[in-house]
Amino acid sequence: MSPSASWLSRSGHIRDTRLVMVGAFVGAFVLLMLSAFTSVFAGGPLSSKREQVNAAYQAVQGECLNWEKADLSDAAKVDCAAAHKFEVTGIADITAAYPKEAPFPNAEAWEKIAQENCAQAAGTYLAGKLDPKGKYGVSTLNPDERRWTDGYRQLRCGLQVAAPSGAALPSYGSAKTQDQSNVYDPSVCLALGENNTVGDPIECAKPHAFEIIGVVQHPEGEFLAVDKQDGIMSEKCAAMALDYTGGADLKAKNLLVTWDTRAEESWAVGSRKANCKIGAVPQGENLVAWEGSVRNPNGAPLTTANPPQTTSVKPQAEPTGAPLHSESGKPPSESGKPSDSGKPDPPSGITPTSENR
């Protein structure tokens, strides 16, 4: 099922192509800014105390790591129930393929190394249930050039929740127990990226593509075809929009309601959640940035997940070996017609749309 999006406008159907977060398990590894990780240990010999306590070289399978500094110099083991940016799925020793005299890999070589050594580890760790379009991507923590020269050849394979830019976002709970649906908590806004893409979480006061207004939990059971998901999401998202905005006239603001759907391969591994969101009416096939929030300031408190879905609006400044979660443009295709439920039309300005991913 190809990633795509459909908009139902007042004048007819407009198909728009956007991006989905694709998991590195299906080969979408893009190891960015590896120096951001290796710089932790670069710049001359380290003290023995530093080498003993740096968690990046001590963590084992099932442990979680967190850090705040872009160079990972403050990396520490944390309870996986707490916010973390890396969950170790295994340790790979690549000495046989890269003996001591082997040159330090460039970014392309690290990508190949990660694919060959860590994709399978992630699948095994999750008992074969890694959502290829879910929120988790396969990543590695790699040795720096000095250690490589000294013959160190161990990698930490792991899972991360990454923003579309590749920046690490906080994750909560072990990936073994979490729904992998690529969803956000209500009130999170997503930037409009380059080339008509959906970008990272961002403050709603800044230009953005979408504002998340809620999450729908689909029932267990057989896969629901996209048109059936659309029927459910259309009704639930319209209701959420009324509650979230306090009945605001979205049409007057040139805004409309849209939603996500789950692909069959995601459904097969248990991903059942999908976002309802609000975006600007597109211009042709292009998304349009808008500013501010449509949340009713006098509305009821928001219901967020526990543990929370991704809520960060300040992702790490630089990626550190995380795969790039991006959506590759696909040729536009005509949207399916909405089902005629016989229910009253939604309030003015709430025009259901759907995004399939």
Side-chain angles (χ1 to χ4, degrees), residues 52-65:
Q52 290 172 0
V53 301
N54 193 288
Y57 284 122
Q58 303 295 326
V60 298
Q61 185 185 71
E63 293 184 329
C64 292
L65 300 171

Side-chain angles (χ1 to χ4, degrees), residues 68-148:
E68 295 299 329
K69 297 181 180 179
D71 64 0
L72 277 76
S73 60
D74 61 340
K77 296 179 186 179
V78 297
D79 189 322
C80 289
H84 59 275
K85 293 177 180 173
F86 194 88
E87 182 171 352
V88 181
T89 59
I91 300 172
D93 191 307
I94 60 173
T95 304
Y98 297 87
K100 187 173 181 179
E101 63 272 14
F104 186 71
N106 58 21
E108 183 179 352
W110 276 125
E111 177 181 345
K112 180 176 182 289
I113 290 169
Q115 286 179 305
E116 292 176 346
N117 292 274
C118 290
Q120 184 175 349
T124 301
Y125 184 73
L126 294 178
K129 294 185 177 181
L130 177 61
D131 184 347
K133 297 185 177 181
K135 64 182 179 181
Y136 291 106
V138 178
S139 187
T140 63
L141 296 183
N142 310 315
D144 66 301
E145 190 166 1
R146 181 182 67 81
R147 288 179 186 260
W148 181 274

Side-chain angles (χ1 to χ4, degrees), residues 49-263:
K49 180 180 179 181
R50 180 61 164 291
E51 293 197 20
Q52 290 172 0
V53 301
N54 193 288
Y57 284 122
Q58 303 295 326
V60 298
Q61 185 185 71
E63 293 184 329
C64 292
L65 300 171
N66 196 38
W67 57 81
E68 295 299 329
K69 297 181 180 179
D71 64 0
L72 277 76
S73 60
D74 61 340
K77 296 179 186 179
V78 297
D79 189 322
C80 289
H84 59 275
K85 293 177 180 173
F86 194 88
E87 182 171 352
V88 181
T89 59
I91 300 172
D93 191 307
I94 60 173
T95 304
Y98 297 87
K100 187 173 181 179
E101 63 272 14
F104 186 71
N106 58 21
E108 183 179 352
W110 276 125
E111 177 181 345
K112 180 176 182 289
I113 290 169
Q115 286 179 305
E116 292 176 346
N117 292 274
C118 290
Q120 184 175 349
T124 301
Y125 184 73
L126 294 178
K129 294 185 177 181
L130 177 61
D131 184 347
K133 297 185 177 181
K135 64 182 179 181
Y136 291 106
V138 178
S139 187
T140 63
L141 296 183
N142 310 315
D144 66 301
E145 190 166 1
R146 181 182 67 81
R147 288 179 186 260
W148 181 274
T149 301
D150 290 341
Y152 189 89
R153 295 293 187 270
Q154 281 193 351
L155 316 175
R156 259 61 186 177
C157 298
L159 292 166
Q160 287 188 304
V161 175
S165 67
L169 296 175
S171 180
Y172 301 83
S174 171
K176 286 185 174 182
T177 62
Q178 299 306 302
D179 185 302
Q180 297 179 44
S181 304
N182 182 20
V183 293
Y184 296 86
D185 274 337
S187 80
V188 172
C189 288
L190 301 175
L192 177 57
E194 297 181 358
N195 301 320
N196 203 37
T197 65
V198 180
D200 293 5
I202 192 173
E203 296 176 8
C204 292
K206 297 179 179 180
H208 54 274
F210 295 109
E211 180 173 358
I212 306 299
I213 61 174
V215 176
V216 173
Q217 173 75 59
H218 289 296
E220 297 299 319
E222 296 292 326
F223 173 68
L224 290 179
V226 172
D227 60 343
K228 292 184 178 180
Q229 292 185 51
D230 282 341
I232 294 171
M233 298 300 290
S234 173
E235 182 176 351
K236 292 186 178 293
C237 292
M240 285 183 180
L242 284 174
D243 290 340
Y244 187 88
T245 67
D249 186 349
L250 297 180
K251 184 177 180 180
K253 299 176 183 289
N254 205 36
L255 301 174
L256 43 67
V257 176
T258 182
W259 57 80
D260 298 339
T261 58
R262 295 278 72 89

